[in-house]
Amino acid sequence: MKIRYILICMICLLCFTACGKNGKQEKDDTTQSNKDEYIVVGFSQLGAESDWRNANTESIKKSLCRENGFELIIEDGQQKQANQIMAIRTFIQKEVDFIVLAPVTETGWDTVLREAKDAGIPVIVIDRMVDVQDESLFTCWIGSDFVSEGNRVVDWLRDYLDANEIEDSQVHIADIQGTLGASAQIGRTKALDAAVEQYGWDLVAQVSGDFTQTKGKEVMANLLDEHEEINVVYCENDNEARGAILAIEEAGKVAGTNLLEGEILILAFDGVSRVAQDLVQEGKIGCIAECNPNHGPRVLEVIRKLLAEEQPEKLFYVTEGMWLKPDETQ
Ligand code: AHR
């Protein structure tokens, strides 16, 4: 094993250059010769539900490409933990060198991560967190501070209300949550709940939109039917926000920042797609807390460290900002 790692290290040092877009990294036939030639990484991605997710997959593919010395096997979990567990077991059977896991929800990973640990395969968790009894079951985690993201959005709302002299009692919020049990949902919902408690805003409803545009639209249409008073929608990603805007416009209402004129104020997260960024510029979304999907370079760095028998940081938070209209940018 050690000799193989030294060989891998040497290949690694020779090959660390940026990967071309058309690299052959998607090939997943892990033959013995590939194993000898490349560092084999099994990547269990939870799905393809959002623009953010697709950008995240691309980031990993770009960093762990053939030109950088990797054989990357990607398994799409299609939003189901059972699929992800199956993928990890397959990676263990294939004796991959590393596993990268983007988990759909936080709980339920103890058994399969123990199996990976027993097989001697380091697991790098990205994006959402795993909630396990024994933290040594994963090597390290790279992702976002989802509570801070939520705080940035509620702080923006606080400033907006103050600047427009809108009373807290006039605020009626609907929270279109992400996939329930996902760290991004847990953190963002937690930040909103705390602000609702602190300021006494009316939280009209909390319903999951599963981080998708389709579900966001469906949920928003139902909310508009049931609660006429809603004037703020806290969408836990911008695909949901895009769906919500479509539902608002189909209902003959306006998504915008003139709350006092009857417009519905949309707040969101991610800001990965140009479409979402443009919606901020058009004033259809009040603000977006950035969620950074570019985990690939950091994963690459972590693997390099592990190959050099160095210890990477256990938890690594990516840097993030806000998407605002140009006149609001500090
Ligand atoms: O876990 C990160 C979240 O998952 C992103 O905000 C969302 O778009 C994605 O689906």
Side-chain angles (χ1 to χ4, degrees):
M1 189 68 172
K2 196 124 194 173
I3 291 172
R4 187 161 163 244
Y5 262 35
I6 291 166
L7 274 173
I8 285 170
C9 265
M10 287 168 65
I11 294 164
C12 211
L13 287 171
L14 286 171
C15 299
F16 276 126
T17 53
C19 289
K21 231 186 160 188
N22 299 321
K24 295 176 191 149
Q25 66 272 26
E26 280 173 79
K27 200 167 169 249
D28 74 347
D29 53 335
T30 319
T31 59
Q32 190 53 49
S33 66
N34 282 347
K35 276 185 172 180
D36 293 341
E37 209 179 335
Y38 295 102
I39 303 158
V40 182
V41 177
F43 175 32
S44 170
Q45 177 57 286
L46 67 92
E49 75 285 1
S50 62
D51 294 295
W52 188 98
R53 187 65 47 204
N54 297 335
N56 180 247
T57 305
E58 283 310 309
S59 174
I60 298 294
K61 279 162 75 172
K62 199 169 169 204
S63 292
L64 306 188
C65 61
R66 282 281 176 97
E67 289 84 343
N68 280 348
F70 290 91
E71 177 73 40
L72 181 63
I73 312 167
I74 303 180
E75 289 292 343
D76 178 349
Q78 301 186 356
Q79 307 283 346
K80 292 192 176 66
Q81 187 179 42
N83 291 343
Q84 292 202 275
I85 290 174
M86 204 153 59
I88 294 171
R89 292 202 167 120
T90 309
F91 297 152
I92 295 170
Q93 272 169 15
K94 286 188 175 179
E95 298 181 353
V96 299
D97 298 302
F98 298 92
I99 291 173
V100 177
L101 168 65
V104 62
T105 47
E106 289 192 351
T107 56
W109 299 102
D110 297 74
T111 307
V112 76
L113 292 189
R114 165 87 43 213
E115 291 166 26
K117 189 178 177 190
D118 290 347
I121 303 172
V123 175
I124 301 160
V125 179
I126 61 165
D127 174 25
R128 303 172 187 175
M129 188 35 116
V130 289
D131 180 4
V132 284
Q133 292 271 324
D134 174 0
E135 297 239 312
S136 76
L137 294 183
F138 64 95
T139 304
C140 61
W141 168 86
I142 299 158
S144 307
D145 184 336
F146 298 112
V147 180
S148 292
E149 289 178 354
N151 285 336
R152 279 199 284 279
V153 170
V154 295
D155 287 350
W156 184 91
L157 177 59
R158 175 74 272 152
D159 292 345
Y160 166 87
L161 297 173
D162 292 344
N164 291 280
E165 295 178 0
I166 299 169
E167 300 286 325
D168 289 328
S169 59
Q170 291 175 278
V171 177
H172 305 286
I173 307 182
D175 176 12
I176 305 186
Q177 297 171 291
T179 304
L180 298 181
S183 310
Q185 176 273 313
I186 294 169
R188 292 167 187 170
T189 299
K190 190 174 173 186
L192 178 65
D193 285 344
V196 163
E197 173 85 24
Q198 184 179 354
Y199 302 124
W201 297 332
D202 173 28
L203 181 58
V204 179
Q206 276 181 315
V207 195
S208 175
D210 262 339
F211 288 127
T212 68
Q213 180 166 330
T214 313
K215 195 80 190 292
K217 184 178 176 201
E218 187 189 308
V219 164
M220 189 72 234
N222 292 336
L223 288 171
L224 288 172
D225 282 347
E226 290 162 20
H227 306 277
E228 248 207 54
E229 71 276 28
I230 292 171
N231 54 8
V232 177
V233 189
Y234 182 89
C235 300
E236 293 190 9
N237 83 345
D238 56 32
N239 288 87
E240 290 177 347
R242 284 159 63 181
I245 292 167
L246 291 175
I248 288 167
E249 290 175 347
E250 277 178 22
K253 299 188 180 224
V254 177
T257 48
N258 271 329
L259 209 118
L260 292 171
E261 308 272 314
E263 293 182 356
I264 300 178
L265 177 63
I266 306 286
L267 310 169
F269 296 85
D270 290 356
V272 169
S273 73
R274 187 59 202 262
V275 181
Q277 293 162 15
D278 286 349
L279 286 168
V280 178
Q281 303 316 313
E282 289 164 34
K284 290 192 179 188
I285 296 181
C287 75
I288 299 179
E290 183 199 3
C291 186
N292 182 347
N294 300 317
H295 299 154
R298 181 71 194 179
V299 171
L300 180 60
E301 201 182 316
V302 163
I303 293 178
R304 290 174 85 170
K305 279 195 171 173
L306 292 170
L307 290 171
E309 298 192 346
E310 288 169 24
Q311 198 52 46
E313 276 166 82
K314 187 78 181 180
L315 305 178
F316 182 87
Y317 290 90
V318 291
T319 49
E320 302 182 321
M322 287 288 271
W323 287 98
L324 305 168
K325 279 182 117 170
D327 52 347
E328 290 182 277
T329 315
Q330 291 119 14

